[in-house]
Amino acid sequence: MPSFNFVSSANAVVLRGAQPVFADIKPNTLNIDPADVERKITSNTRAIVPVHYAGVGCEMEALATLADRHDLTIVEDAAQAVDAYYQGDPLGTIGDIGCFSFHETKNITCGEGGAFLTNSTEIAEKAELAREKGTNRSAFLRGEVDKYTWVSPGSSYVQSDILAAVLEVQLQRREVIKERRRRVWEGYHEALAPELEETGFRLPVIPNDRESNYHIFYVLAPNQDLRDRLLERLKSNGVDATFHYIPLHSSPFGQTITPDDVSLPVTTECSNRLIRLPVYPQLSHRIEEVAERVRSVFSEMV
Ligand SMILES: *Cc1c(COP(=O)(O)O)cnc(C)c1O
């Protein structure tokens, strides 16, 4: 999995007693680099966890080739990737398993929640037991057994009906949500592209075979010092800009489970240079004004 990642997919591995191994990312999409994945595969490797950063798909074809060759499972961390596509296929449905998040920070939200998808009947059956505390209660509710009982290890991963009701409405508004986010994303891109292209900054890239859900808009500054100063200046101008992420291998816990000689140069560099600008549907109504404010902060400081 990438080290340029949120903690959840690494926690899932650690909590099962397995070892997350961090691969570097590609500088264009900030997604996991299949060439570095290949270098890190050993006879102990069991799975590849691509994280579709910012709602732009990883190189699934190259990863599938590696998975086939080494008999590995692909678990897509599609937390940021609901309603985004790779070569026409929805992200989260391409690997053996895909996981969505409906956390409050995501495009489609019910406050807290998520979805687990799999292409495998065998995995689906196991997951159904795991999510109902290791019981066959789902089979009971379908009338397949006359009482339910403890049949495997599990926990309580069921969603509350109340949150599911919120989620249902969000899902119905999926197209409007994506369209408004697209307007915000493109508003920033248009305001910044001509100014920044020549000055060592980099704007986000969506490769031609991928469709984004516009989850995140980011800019890579030429260096960390300028990034830090821009973040401060944007904030003092009322723009809630932030960094992303502390790479997992350099976090306090990550260091305890990662070899000292790990080298993830693109991860380190990009996370030091990254600025995220606010993206949310309501912002689409005043994106011209906000994008202009952002543009003027950048042009003052560059
Ligand atoms: C938000 C996020 C998660 C976690 O989602 P939860 O719903 O909090 O479990 C996992 N991975 C990535 C890449 C995320 O952005």
Side-chain angles (χ1 to χ4, degrees):
M1 67 175 61
S3 171
F4 185 73
N5 187 4
F6 189 58
V7 297
S8 298
S9 39
N11 270 325
V13 172
V14 169
L15 288 170
R16 299 298 153 230
Q19 166 79 38
V21 175
F22 298 119
D24 212 353
I25 51 173
K26 300 199 61 159
N28 64 341
T29 54
L30 312 187
N31 278 337
I32 197 164
D33 179 355
D36 199 43
V37 172
E38 184 163 25
R39 284 191 282 273
K40 287 184 169 143
I41 291 173
T42 70
S43 58
N44 290 322
T45 308
R46 290 292 174 270
I48 303 174
V49 182
V51 177
H52 304 299
Y53 184 67
V56 175
C58 295
E59 290 176 21
M60 296 307 289
E61 212 171 300
L63 295 175
T65 305
L66 290 176
D68 280 349
R69 195 182 306 148
H70 298 276
D71 194 21
L72 305 174
T73 301
I74 294 188
V75 182
E76 296 177 71
D77 179 338
Q80 304 179 6
V82 176
D83 202 18
Y85 300 81
Y86 172 82
Q87 297 180 356
D89 292 326
L91 299 179
T93 70
I94 302 168
D96 301 279
I97 293 171
C99 301
F100 289 149
S101 171
F102 305 127
H103 184 254
E104 63 176 52
T105 53
K106 301 304 198 283
N107 286 26
I108 304 284
T109 175
C110 58
E112 288 281 3
F116 174 95
L117 289 74
T118 175
N119 288 315
S120 150
T121 310
E122 191 193 339
I123 295 173
E125 284 167 1
K126 277 192 194 165
E128 187 177 87
L129 301 177
R131 109 180 147 152
E132 276 279 16
K133 299 106 182 152
T135 73
N136 56 353
R137 183 163 179 267
S138 299
F140 170 72
L141 293 176
R142 287 193 298 268
E144 293 165 13
V145 291
D146 59 7
K147 35 180 131 38
Y148 73 90
T149 184
W150 190 19
V151 292
S152 81
S155 190
S156 190
Y157 302 113
V158 286
Q159 172 155 51
S160 91
D161 292 349
I162 297 163
L163 296 186
V166 175
L167 182 63
E168 188 175 14
V169 179
Q170 280 271 295
L171 286 168
Q172 285 162 5
R173 293 179 59 76
R174 182 169 65 105
E175 283 174 26
V176 181
I177 290 169
K178 186 155 84 174
E179 171 57 18
R180 290 188 184 167
R181 299 185 81 101
R182 186 184 65 77
R183 291 218 293 269
V184 172
W185 195 98
E186 289 182 353
Y188 288 134
H189 201 278
E190 277 158 31
L192 295 174
E195 298 259 337
L196 294 182
E197 258 162 14
E198 302 293 312
T199 51
F201 281 83
R202 194 174 71 58
L203 294 178
V205 175
I206 304 172
N208 286 334
D209 61 349
R210 275 154 260 191
E211 190 186 313
S212 178
N213 64 4
Y214 307 99
H215 178 59
I216 288 172
F217 184 90
Y218 67 84
V219 178
L220 294 181
N223 57 62
Q224 183 171 11
D225 176 55
L226 183 53
R227 190 277 302 265
D228 292 345
R229 286 187 294 126
L230 276 164
L231 279 181
E232 220 166 274
R233 188 71 71 89
L234 285 162
K235 280 188 186 145
S236 62
N237 278 271
V239 178
D240 190 16
T242 50
F243 70 100
H244 228 186
Y245 298 95
I246 307 277
L248 296 179
H249 76 280
S250 60
S251 67
F253 183 70
Q255 285 180 36
T256 69
I257 57 161
T258 310
D260 290 337
D261 61 353
V262 68
S263 166
L264 301 163
V266 184
T267 299
T268 304
E269 190 191 320
C270 292
S271 63
N272 285 336
R273 291 173 50 197
L274 194 138
I275 296 171
R276 272 188 303 156
L277 296 174
V279 179
Y280 53 91
Q282 292 86 339
L283 194 58
S284 63
H285 303 305
R286 47 196 281 261
I287 185 58
E288 286 81 12
E289 173 212 326
V290 174
E292 174 51 32
R293 204 187 303 175
V294 169
R295 197 197 58 75
S296 78
V297 168
F298 275 82
S299 58
E300 262 169 48
M301 302 201 47
V302 175

